[in-house]
Structures are given as C-alpha cells and as structure tokens.
Amino acid sequence: MSGFDPEFEDLPASLPIFPLTGVLMLPRGRLPLNIFEPRYLNMVADAMGGNRMIGMIQPSEAQAEESEGEPAVYTTGCAGRITHFEETEDNRFILSLRGVCRFRITEEVPTTRGYRRCAVDWTPFAFDLTKPENTNINRERLVAAVRTYFTAKGLEANWEAIEKAKDEYLVTSIAMLCPFDPPEKQALLEAEDLAARAELLTTIVEMAALDNSNSVLQ
C-alpha cells in the first residue's frame, strides 16, 4: 500500500458498512461525515485501529427488510479510507473519506459491536484503483447541462473552477454533491466506467432541469 492508494491485494475480505440514503461515494471522491450514533462511533474506532476503510452503501427500499430488523441494502457500494479524523468535545467524530474502490456484498458477517460488516468482492471493480487516462466524455454538453440545472435549482458554483477541473474530478464531484434521488445516485455508482457515468450524469441533469422548467411553467 502506498500512501492512501492501496493495491488490489491490500483490499480486505470484509468491510464495516455504513448505510446512508442518498449518499454517494465514488473512487477518489471526498466525503465528509459527522458520526454521533454509538454503533457508528464503534465502527469508526475499529476502522481507525485497522485499515481505516468503511463501506458506504445505500439502503434499498425495493427489497424487503432483513430478518433481524436491519434495512436491506443495495449489493453494490464503494469503500472509502479515512484520511481525516477529529474527535469533538461532545463525543462526535468528524471524518473525511477518500473513495477507494467499489465492491459487491457477498454475505453479511456477524458482529458484536453494533454496526454491520459484510464479506465483499472487489474483483468486478478492480479497475477503480487506476485513474482513467482516456476519459472520452462529452465535457461541453455536461458543463452546459450543469449550468442549466444549477440555474433552475438556484444553486451557486465556482464556474472557473468547474471549467478547469479534470474530467474525473468534475464528474465525481457533481455526481456526489448534487441532490439526486437515491435510485439515481445508485445508478451513477453502478455505471460501468467514467464515460458511462458522465453520460448518465448528463442525462439526469438535463432531465432534472427540464422537469424544473416545466413545473415553473405550469
């Protein structure tokens, strides 16, 4: 493992999972977290004592609840590594995660610390560990769609920074930050590669802007 960038053989066989609706973690993305629930305080403490990795995943409303009362989750998530950790005076943890690699859950593992842990398969997403060289995205269309979307939603942005951002950072940041519906977030997570994610993101943004315009006209 070099710095914050693990090799494939460094990836663990199981991960603690943190189910959060509407939260998207992508490889090399940055995700801030405010942890206060006791079981997740345990999760972070255990992660800090080990490989610092946490699996971010969304609950799945389309699936039935699991037998032990925990919500069902999607089978695909993304692991993040804790790159910043701060403990507050009121016993919260403030974290920053850096996305590492997506995973598929193979089975849930019993634990005694309150949080959930799952055995995972990294193999389908091993290429996540390598930054894409040939991005092959329609950047002009994406930026134009984002401008329209932000205007329709009354959102502000640093357009100079957006114009200068590298393709992967641009797509990842917009996908993670925009308030899309959970199924849209999941679809962006499961997109095959950066080009597919950029195409889907552009379509989602264009449709959202159009829906907003139509609602204003009605």
Side-chain angles (χ1 to χ4, degrees), residues 23-31 56 77-81 97-102 128 168-177 185-191 193-194 197 201:
V23 174
L24 174 61
M25 172 98 265
L26 291 172
R28 286 169 291 283
R30 301 280 182 174
L31 180 67
M56 300 303 301
C78 183
R81 190 173 188 275
L97 297 184
R98 182 177 187 267
V100 175
C101 184
R102 291 174 291 174
D128 282 350
E168 184 186 32
Y169 182 82
L170 176 66
V171 172
T172 297
S173 298
I174 294 171
M176 288 179 60
L177 292 173
K185 292 274 190 176
Q186 190 66 26
L188 288 165
L189 172 67
E190 296 183 15
D193 53 24
L194 183 65
R197 183 171 297 122
L201 175 62

Side-chain angles (χ1 to χ4, degrees), residues 10-149:
D10 296 320
L11 298 175
S14 68
L15 278 175
I17 63 166
F18 190 10
L20 278 180
T21 300
V23 174
L24 174 61
M25 172 98 265
L26 291 172
R28 286 169 291 283
R30 301 280 182 174
L31 180 67
L33 291 173
N34 177 19
I35 309 296
F36 53 87
E37 190 174 339
R39 60 175 171 169
Y40 294 125
L41 294 173
N42 289 342
M43 176 188 72
V44 172
D46 292 349
M48 289 297 295
N51 55 32
R52 295 193 172 204
M53 292 180 67
I54 294 172
M56 300 303 301
I57 201 158
Q58 289 199 105
S60 174
E61 296 180 358
Q63 301 180 38
E65 287 195 355
E66 296 183 356
S67 58
E68 296 182 359
E70 294 284 4
V73 294
Y74 284 99
T75 57
T76 301
C78 183
R81 190 173 188 275
I82 300 171
T83 57
H84 172 79
F85 171 84
E86 178 183 349
E87 187 172 1
T88 67
E89 292 183 358
D90 58 351
N91 299 317
R92 292 178 295 117
F93 292 156
I94 306 298
L95 310 179
S96 179
L97 297 184
R98 182 177 187 267
V100 175
C101 184
R102 291 174 291 174
F103 60 84
R104 284 196 183 132
I105 291 175
T106 56
E107 64 177 338
E108 192 141 352
V109 179
T111 64
T112 60
R113 297 273 283 162
Y115 61 86
R116 299 165 71 179
R117 176 175 285 272
C118 291
V120 298
D121 179 14
W122 308 94
T123 307
F125 308 109
F127 59 88
D128 282 350
L129 296 173
T130 304
K131 290 183 180 180
E133 295 182 0
N134 300 316
T135 54
N136 193 31
I137 74 170
N138 189 336
R139 185 185 178 98
E140 183 177 351
R141 179 187 164 204
L142 173 58
V143 172
V146 171
R147 281 184 178 273
T148 303
Y149 173 81

